[in-house]
Amino acid sequence: MIVNNINDLKAWKKQCPKKADYKINVLVCNGTSCMSSDSEMIAKMIEKELEKRSIEAEIRIIKTGCFGFCGQGPIIKIEPDDITYVQVKVEDVNDIVDSHLVHRTLVERLLYKEPNEKDQIKDGSGMKFYKKQMRIALRNCGEIDPENIEDYIVNDGYLALAKVLEEYSPEDVISIIKKSSLRGRGGGGFPTGLKWELTRKVKSDQKYIVCNADEGDPGAFMDRSILEGDPHSILEAMMIAGYAIGANHGLIYIRAEYGVATERLRKAIAAAKKAGLIGENIFGTEFSFDIEIKLGAGAFVCGEETALIHSMEGLRGEPTKKPPFPSEAGYRNKPTSVNNVETFANIPAIIINGPEWFSSIGTKSSKGTKVFALAGQIRNNGLVEVPMGTTFNEIVYEIGGGHPEGKEIKAIQIGGPSGGVITKEFFDMEIDYDSLQSKGAMMGSGGMIIMDEDTDMVQVAKFYLDFTQDESCGKCTPCRIGTKRMYEILERLVNMEGSPEDLNKLKVLGENIKSTSLCGLGQTAPNPVLSTMKYFKEEYEAYAYRTKKRAYSIDPNLCVGCTKCARNCPVSCISGSVREVHIIDESKCIACGACYEACPVNAIIKP
Amino acid sequence: MIRKILDMSTLDKSLLNELDDYILSLEGKKEEHLIHVLHKAQSLFGYLPQNLQLYIARKLDLPAARVNGVVTFYSFFNEKPVGKYTISVCMGTACFVKGADKVLDRVMEVTGTKKGEMSKDGLFTIKDVRCIGACGLAPVLTINDKVYGKVKPKDVDDIIRHYRSIQNDRK
């Protein structure tokens, strides 16, 4: 099908196969996470089994993008029955086909069971994990086949672009986005409409739209899931942005590590080109647009827009001073608007539903939804999209299901290596850009790492600093040398070789790096340290005053002498015979925690 | 200092031809495609020895220092040869808090190879990598393109044994 105008698109939409055309739709998650647990194989086997039984015509298998509930993968959803099966294995295929698809009886053992509750849950919407979610950016993820353009068209795909080209002037588009109050989802939260307006205002023969898909924050994977699950929405949004700022060329800068996402983007671009949706005179208008993919090569700093632009030009990904901003002189020195994947994913929905709809969701300063990646010590790992203003308590305990072993959660690290920690006293805080900033953290790209009572916050800070000092591009001194010195101080502290003076040094150094570094990487690198120092001062002091107890011990009143701890100790530092109280040699203990995990009566005391 | 003369004649001719064809197919300014050319070269040769970097520099009409500067800037590019299987242990935050360091230790122990190096038999290269975005499966390691999730240190032995056995079967 070749689309020459909006009517062609509408006619195409009518012809496209819909879910309703099939008796049953079997949605198999083919996100990276589920694929690593053989979901691709599972889909293939279901297909084969259906062919064997000659029922393949009435049942469609859809290999979708990420459902979000990655901790329970691989996931299979069956529509219209609205049944979700979790942790499906290759061996379960026969049961699903025979029982469910042929005889229409549930395979109960594969249903999800809410912890501490008896009943199994049949449908996705009934799961606590999904109840509080609202999916805008992830609207098509887990719903459609990302490699089939017709699946996107059926869900109003490219309709927003058609509407924009037929009904709106570029200025109208900018004012709609401004009215929606959409802010950049990549980190800083800069208003998207304003960014476009600034880029539009600069006069130039050539401008560029760049999609920043260099998702580098450890613990964040929303951009990848969107690209894998709904690549066309990004292409459509880039063209809308191109029309708004007056650009006819788009570039997607994507991490080389994201193989599946890159492949799906390539296929999506090819399919859109074939349909005339990317190319010359789109929808029969004057507007032409082309999109190319630029691969990264593993450098965290390239998430910073000036560094990203240099990397796209085939240079070392080092940042440059702003101004000039990319909106004035970006890629090839031409005005460039760099927007993040999740930001783009919101655009078509805003155009179709209107800016008022979007700005009615969220808090006073932050509108719409945000996708968070839940990871760490939490029962339900995965991607969640919630309205701005949702509290940490709701995300951690209602959606996330709390700690997997019921331990106390003491902090959440948000915003990756640029962010900070939120402690449990603030878990009832409504999350938005400004509330996080007021607590010394930041939205970042939305990675949330849940940390329990056992987590050593000084080690966590050291982990982040190890990351940033390694990823520092080396161009400016405060970041290159400062972060290294901070790391050395932290190392000294955890090796019990530090002194109380070090704490002050860390603080002063951190503040100086923040105020003098060239780009966002350096300006935010000390945040994990400063924020953990603020809220967990006693943990730092324990190291600085060398009072930190580093060995485990055994409560003699609780020990039953089962010998399990001694058998599990990797350095054999636990002595004692059967039915006698055991003793840990504290000078040999390496604090690995193996005994703690092994003890059946909770007699091991943590350091 | 003794200058080492880089000998480009030792590079495999047929692979170079393939690389040349790729460079020819690129549109626009060649130097902007440097990173893509390096990706291609690494996929062909396995790594980017200095003589290959010099070859690429000549081909794209760039100073060799510029090519080397880019190769050494990005962690994806290797200047040293890599094993048949690259074992990458994710050191992202989610994996870290779930004990990825212990998994890495076990990998190094079982293969007898240090981080960033190739095992003596040329079978494995061990790397610690930045978040691969499969945090739901933490801790994660990948072997070439295959992802292993929720890996415990004791699982490492079986995984490595599996790759060693495929290798032996081929022999």
Side-chain angles (χ1 to χ4, degrees), chain A residues 147-223:
Chain A
E147 299 192 7
N148 185 344
I149 190 170
E150 295 198 329
D151 267 22
Y152 185 63
I153 302 275
V154 159
N155 286 290
D156 288 338
Y158 292 104
L159 200 67
L161 177 65
K163 199 171 164 186
V164 161
L165 295 181
E166 301 229 333
E167 293 174 25
Y168 300 137
S169 70
E171 289 80 6
D172 291 342
V173 178
I174 290 174
S175 98
I176 289 171
I177 301 303
K178 279 176 88 174
K179 223 189 264 172
S180 76
S181 306
L182 175 67
R183 293 169 69 172
R185 299 293 194 240
F190 192 81
T192 308
L194 184 61
K195 195 178 235 180
W196 289 6
E197 187 176 52
L198 291 170
T199 321
R200 167 147 199 95
K201 274 186 184 157
V202 183
K203 288 205 165 58
S204 174
D205 55 333
Q206 177 75 54
K207 293 180 186 179
Y208 296 100
I209 283 289
V210 173
C211 172
N212 183 350
D214 189 53
E215 184 173 52
D217 277 8
F221 51 104
M222 57 285 295
D223 291 351

Side-chain angles (χ1 to χ4, degrees), chain A residues 375-378 403-404 407-413 421 423 449-464 532 535-536 538-540 543 548 552 596-597 606-607, chain B residues 93-99 102:
Chain A
Q377 308 292 356
I378 189 145
H403 192 282
K407 286 184 194 172
E408 187 166 353
I409 292 167
K410 79 169 171 189
I412 296 169
Q413 154 75 14
V421 290
T423 50
I449 311 287
I450 316 300
M451 295 172 181
D452 65 16
E453 48 188 300
D454 296 345
T455 314
D456 181 332
M457 301 313 282
V458 184
Q459 295 278 10
V460 169
K462 182 171 156 258
F463 165 79
Y464 278 114
T532 47
Y535 296 110
F536 298 96
E538 65 295 342
E539 293 193 25
Y540 279 86
Y543 280 115
K548 172 106 182 161
Y552 282 72
Y596 182 82
E597 300 293 329
K606 266 184 291 180
Chain B
T93 326
C95 291
F96 177 79
V97 299
K98 290 214 164 171
K102 292 180 184 108

